[in-house]
Amino acid sequence: MNEDVSSQHGEDISYANPSISLNESLTPSNCRKENSRDSIENLHVLQRIPNTAFGIRMGLAGNAVLWKSAGRVDFLKSHLGSVELANGILWHIALVVAVMTLLAYLYKMVYHFRVVVMEYRHPVRVHFFNAPHLILIMLSLGVPSNMQSGSSTIPIQILFAIGLIFQFCITQVIYERWMFCNQTPTMSEAKPQFFLSIIGWFLLTVLGNDIDIDTNWGISISSFCFGIGCFMYVVILVNIFNGLSNDIQNKGSPALTLLIAPPSVASIAIDGFAGNSDESNVIAQMALGWSLMVFTILIRLSPRLAAMPTELGTYWAYVFPMASLSSACLNYTIAANSGVSQILAIISIVLATLALCIVFSRLVYHILLCWQHKARWGDSLLGIPSNIHSHN
């Protein structure tokens, strides 16, 4: 990564394939050759949209799932009559943003394919290629109740199969890199973004439990997914914790919030096993307890929102994990059904909503700065800083 940009957020993408020049094939087919770096910087952000932008729709879809979970809590439905409305609005916004982002990225794949290759070969940015099928799974989980087609689960089973295929294929590539690739960081140099390749297993477990996929398919797919996710989460978590002392610049970075997401979703997934037995409830509560502990640590690290985002979607890493934690707290409230658990649920919803509003406001503020030509959408992979006056 360009050091002038990466120093602000502590994210190192210096492992991008050096054989790919920034001056190669970054324009449409009728103008394939670039002679200056200025032409790259002058591309509109939608023409070179980074795959980190997928984090925006993940945050929106996560909040749609959150409000659908809130609709299952009796005391919230009785006090907040707009629970289902919030779920429907956020779900439709997430769907629209997902389609727009996907179309923009397909445009980039057609006209600036070498940049896509750079992201694919990069040890951190490659994990954002998990986002398209993660959003598909979350949209399946958060679909408004009035849009569900009766008792038939066939449409959701099809979406589950698509998500499972994509999860399996992308992780085959990524996990092989972790184990055997000598040109990029291995598991011992794990970054929080690595969790994007893990969270899908837990999301598939939750969706599989919701539609009873094990019975319908005659194979314990949910258990398989959960087992893979648990093993890989522990391995990555240990390596991340071991490496944080040598990566002080990551303190308070948005990426660290991803530590919350896997155990939060795992807590919900565990509750889906064994029909809410006492044993599954206890294990789910243990996972939730760990998520809450990590959250308190991250709060003490003072999240950073003042600096300009290095890429589109950078700060949205705060949103999806908070929505996951809040959904887990709501799930716990249903099981515990106590006054204290209800307070915990309310606090978690407030914090998740606050995170969404603050990050969205920060996005709008940066858009205004770009409109006034006081800033731009940078891309640290291409060495383009957000500060329009920066020079590398």
Side-chain angles (χ1 to χ4, degrees), residues 250-267:
N250 254 331
K251 183 178 180 180
S253 70
L256 279 179
T257 315
L258 292 171
L259 292 169
I260 300 174
S264 298
V265 181
S267 173

Side-chain angles (χ1 to χ4, degrees), residues 62-76:
N63 276 270
V65 176
L66 158 62
W67 284 101
K68 184 172 183 178
S69 300
R72 300 190 183 103
V73 182
D74 292 334
F75 88 94
L76 286 176

Side-chain angles (χ1 to χ4, degrees), residues 13 76 121 124 129 146 166 201 209 242 248 273 282 298 306 311 328 339 385:
I13 60 170
L76 286 176
R121 293 181 177 179
V124 175
F129 285 107
N146 58 4
F166 275 94
W201 298 116
N209 288 337
N242 286 336
I248 302 299
F273 291 118
V282 170
L298 295 178
E311 290 93 16

